[in-house]
Amino acid sequence: RTEKIKEFLSAFDVFILPSIYEGFPVSAIEAQANGLRCFLSDKITEEAVLSKNIIRLPIKNEILWSKEIIKYKNSYKHENISDRLKKEFDIKITVKKLEHFYNGFIEI
């Protein structure tokens, strides 16, 4: 366990997640927040795609994965998605969304 996620991710050139059964990968969110180009399998939920630095690839095509990763090896482009992340994951906003949701079910 570490709290130095940003420091570790800053050392990466790209983030690769060729997962078969991943649902909503927090690791991919953290990588995007750090501005990394991310290569994610097509099995990962679309809700995890928050930036333009995402390339989704079919999990069963290893040749395509290697070609795409090599193609982008010298094209690092930082994308600031902090505003979008705040809208999606900020605890204060999430609490308000939940309150609004549950208030719709409660009759007083």
mmCIF file of all heavy atoms in Angstrom, residues 17 19 22-24 31 52-53 57 63 69 86 99 103:
data_model
loop_
_atom_site.group_PDB
_atom_site.id
_atom_site.type_symbol
_atom_site.label_atom_id
_atom_site.label_comp_id
_atom_site.label_asym_id
_atom_site.label_seq_id
_atom_site.Cartn_x
_atom_site.Cartn_y
_atom_site.Cartn_z
ATOM 1 N N LEU A 17 -3.735 -1.551 -19.521
ATOM 2 C CA LEU A 17 -4.610 -2.407 -18.727
ATOM 3 C C LEU A 17 -5.366 -3.373 -19.641
ATOM 4 O O LEU A 17 -6.487 -3.124 -20.053
ATOM 5 C CB LEU A 17 -5.588 -1.557 -17.911
ATOM 6 C CG LEU A 17 -6.431 -2.288 -16.876
ATOM 7 C CD1 LEU A 17 -5.561 -2.995 -15.847
ATOM 8 C CD2 LEU A 17 -7.365 -1.322 -16.182
ATOM 9 N N SER A 19 -7.172 -5.963 -19.351
ATOM 10 C CA SER A 19 -7.967 -6.780 -18.454
ATOM 11 C C SER A 19 -9.101 -7.502 -19.179
ATOM 12 O O SER A 19 -9.693 -6.973 -20.119
ATOM 13 C CB SER A 19 -8.549 -5.897 -17.358
ATOM 14 O OG SER A 19 -9.321 -6.660 -16.484
ATOM 15 N N GLU A 22 -12.257 -6.724 -15.839
ATOM 16 C CA GLU A 22 -12.265 -5.492 -15.044
ATOM 17 C C GLU A 22 -13.594 -4.776 -15.214
ATOM 18 O O GLU A 22 -14.102 -4.633 -16.309
ATOM 19 C CB GLU A 22 -11.126 -4.585 -15.517
ATOM 20 C CG GLU A 22 -10.771 -3.503 -14.550
ATOM 21 C CD GLU A 22 -9.944 -4.024 -13.393
ATOM 22 O OE1 GLU A 22 -9.157 -4.942 -13.576
ATOM 23 O OE2 GLU A 22 -10.118 -3.483 -12.287
ATOM 24 N N GLY A 23 -14.157 -4.320 -14.119
ATOM 25 C CA GLY A 23 -15.386 -3.557 -14.179
ATOM 26 C C GLY A 23 -15.054 -2.082 -14.312
ATOM 27 O O GLY A 23 -14.860 -1.559 -15.401
ATOM 28 N N PHE A 24 -14.961 -1.409 -13.193
ATOM 29 C CA PHE A 24 -14.627 0.013 -13.165
ATOM 30 C C PHE A 24 -13.261 0.155 -12.496
ATOM 31 O O PHE A 24 -13.159 0.192 -11.273
ATOM 32 C CB PHE A 24 -15.691 0.786 -12.397
ATOM 33 C CG PHE A 24 -15.487 2.262 -12.447
ATOM 34 C CD1 PHE A 24 -15.890 2.976 -13.561
ATOM 35 C CD2 PHE A 24 -14.887 2.932 -11.408
ATOM 36 C CE1 PHE A 24 -15.697 4.342 -13.629
ATOM 37 C CE2 PHE A 24 -14.689 4.295 -11.464
ATOM 38 C CZ PHE A 24 -15.102 4.995 -12.576
ATOM 39 N N ALA A 31 -4.636 6.934 -13.511
ATOM 40 C CA ALA A 31 -3.711 7.147 -14.622
ATOM 41 C C ALA A 31 -4.180 8.314 -15.487
ATOM 42 O O ALA A 31 -3.370 9.149 -15.910
ATOM 43 C CB ALA A 31 -3.583 5.875 -15.458
ATOM 44 N N LYS A 52 -9.393 12.070 -23.441
ATOM 45 C CA LYS A 52 -9.119 11.766 -24.851
ATOM 46 C C LYS A 52 -7.842 10.945 -25.002
ATOM 47 O O LYS A 52 -7.511 10.533 -26.103
ATOM 48 C CB LYS A 52 -9.013 13.066 -25.647
ATOM 49 C CG LYS A 52 -10.314 13.825 -25.699
ATOM 50 C CD LYS A 52 -10.153 15.143 -26.407
ATOM 51 C CE LYS A 52 -11.456 15.930 -26.333
ATOM 52 N NZ LYS A 52 -11.283 17.285 -26.808
ATOM 53 N N ASN A 53 -7.148 10.715 -23.908
ATOM 54 C CA ASN A 53 -5.904 9.944 -23.932
ATOM 55 C C ASN A 53 -6.137 8.443 -23.799
ATOM 56 O O ASN A 53 -5.227 7.704 -23.457
ATOM 57 C CB ASN A 53 -4.965 10.408 -22.807
ATOM 58 C CG ASN A 53 -4.140 11.605 -23.222
ATOM 59 O OD1 ASN A 53 -4.018 11.891 -24.400
ATOM 60 N ND2 ASN A 53 -3.582 12.296 -22.258
ATOM 61 N N LEU A 57 -8.807 -1.209 -26.931
ATOM 62 C CA LEU A 57 -8.388 -2.242 -27.879
ATOM 63 C C LEU A 57 -9.035 -3.586 -27.546
ATOM 64 O O LEU A 57 -9.289 -3.881 -26.378
ATOM 65 C CB LEU A 57 -6.864 -2.393 -27.830
ATOM 66 C CG LEU A 57 -6.068 -1.136 -28.201
ATOM 67 C CD1 LEU A 57 -4.625 -1.277 -27.785
ATOM 68 C CD2 LEU A 57 -6.183 -0.876 -29.685
ATOM 69 N N ILE A 63 -1.315 -8.436 -31.282
ATOM 70 C CA ILE A 63 -0.530 -7.740 -32.310
ATOM 71 C C ILE A 63 -0.971 -6.286 -32.403
ATOM 72 O O ILE A 63 -0.137 -5.370 -32.459
ATOM 73 C CB ILE A 63 -0.674 -8.443 -33.687
ATOM 74 C CG1 ILE A 63 -0.228 -9.902 -33.609
ATOM 75 C CG2 ILE A 63 0.074 -7.681 -34.768
ATOM 76 C CD1 ILE A 63 1.220 -10.109 -33.221
ATOM 77 N N ILE A 69 0.705 0.601 -29.089
ATOM 78 C CA ILE A 69 1.588 1.120 -28.036
ATOM 79 C C ILE A 69 2.861 1.688 -28.657
ATOM 80 O O ILE A 69 3.299 2.787 -28.301
ATOM 81 C CB ILE A 69 1.896 0.019 -27.004
ATOM 82 C CG1 ILE A 69 0.617 -0.322 -26.236
ATOM 83 C CG2 ILE A 69 3.006 0.458 -26.054
ATOM 84 C CD1 ILE A 69 0.696 -1.601 -25.430
ATOM 85 N N LYS A 86 -13.509 16.130 -10.857
ATOM 86 C CA LYS A 86 -14.234 16.721 -9.725
ATOM 87 C C LYS A 86 -15.731 16.536 -9.895
ATOM 88 O O LYS A 86 -16.442 16.217 -8.944
ATOM 89 C CB LYS A 86 -13.886 18.202 -9.590
ATOM 90 C CG LYS A 86 -12.517 18.441 -9.033
ATOM 91 C CD LYS A 86 -12.190 19.910 -8.985
ATOM 92 C CE LYS A 86 -10.737 20.116 -8.587
ATOM 93 N NZ LYS A 86 -10.326 21.509 -8.684
ATOM 94 N N GLU A 99 -28.212 12.417 -2.269
ATOM 95 C CA GLU A 99 -29.336 13.025 -1.554
ATOM 96 C C GLU A 99 -30.498 13.281 -2.506
ATOM 97 O O GLU A 99 -31.649 12.983 -2.187
ATOM 98 C CB GLU A 99 -28.906 14.331 -0.884
ATOM 99 C CG GLU A 99 -28.048 14.147 0.335
ATOM 100 C CD GLU A 99 -27.546 15.469 0.909
ATOM 101 O OE1 GLU A 99 -27.606 16.515 0.213
ATOM 102 O OE2 GLU A 99 -27.085 15.462 2.058
ATOM 103 N N ASN A 103 -33.987 11.394 -2.114
ATOM 104 C CA ASN A 103 -35.121 12.251 -1.830
ATOM 105 C C ASN A 103 -36.270 12.008 -2.793
ATOM 106 O O ASN A 103 -37.433 12.224 -2.477
ATOM 107 C CB ASN A 103 -34.730 13.731 -1.829
ATOM 108 C CG ASN A 103 -33.992 14.117 -0.566
ATOM 109 O OD1 ASN A 103 -34.146 13.474 0.479
ATOM 110 N ND2 ASN A 103 -33.191 15.150 -0.645
#
